[in-house]
């Protein structure tokens, strides 16, 4: 589907780290996510079925969604390493947020959302979230990492 690949290459959007409480805690870099309803507020994240975090996310009552600061540290760790063989939380400052969801201290903004529904959408599963706790600076004051910024990170798992 070469024509769509050309279209998609023009896009740039935020990337996120999604975290699940576990045990043990799990997390991954997510490029497919976005707000999907205004009233009520809803947000959806799509997690690759090949990803270690996938099963932890499906078992969770709530997930954390984190915007990332510039730099590749968190993105490389959560996107370029697999939880199959790496404790991604060992060298990262984090704390337990609502529902026991891991919150990354370095994230410039994050929310925890209750999982309302999930759907099989090809090689990814979509999880519909209702935000229950949000931490964010005023709009326009935080620079966040985008898809183009992490283009060179080799994924810890194939899609």
């Amino acid at each position: 589907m070469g024509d769509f690949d050309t279209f998609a290459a023009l896009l740039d959007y935020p990337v996120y780290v999604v975290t699940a409480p576990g045990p043990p805690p799990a997390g991954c870099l997510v490029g497919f996510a976005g707000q999907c309803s205004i009233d009520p507020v809803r947000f959806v994240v799509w997690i690759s079925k090949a990803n270690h975090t996938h099963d932890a996310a499906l078992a969770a009552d709530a997930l954390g969604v984190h915007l990332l600061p510039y730099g590749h540290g968190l993105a490389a760790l959560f996107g370029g390493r697999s939880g199959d063989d790496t404790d991604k939380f060992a060298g990262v400052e984090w704390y337990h947020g609502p529902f026991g969801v891991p919150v990354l201290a370095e994230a410039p903004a994050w929310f925890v959302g209750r999982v309302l529904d999930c759907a099989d959408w090809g090689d990814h599963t979509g999880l519909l979230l209702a935000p229950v706790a949000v931490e964010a600076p005023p709009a326009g004051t935080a620079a966040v990492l985008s898809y183009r910024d992490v283009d060179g990170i080799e994924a810890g798992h194939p899609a």
Side-chain angles (χ1 to χ4, degrees), residues 37-103:
S37 176
I38 296 169
D39 187 17
V41 175
R42 297 293 184 258
F43 194 91
V44 66
V45 296
W46 291 273
I47 298 178
S48 170
K49 293 176 184 176
N51 197 299
H52 176 82
T53 302
H54 182 265
D55 290 344
L58 289 181
D61 292 328
L63 300 174
V65 178
H66 306 76
L67 287 168
L68 300 179
Y70 274 107
H72 288 92
L74 289 174
L77 175 63
F78 284 91
R81 305 294 302 266
S82 171
D84 292 330
D85 53 26
T86 301
D87 179 356
K88 297 178 186 180
F89 294 88
V92 174
E93 188 176 341
W94 65 279
Y95 57 92
H96 292 282
F99 296 92
V101 171
V103 174

Side-chain angles (χ1 to χ4, degrees), residues 136-142:
T141 62

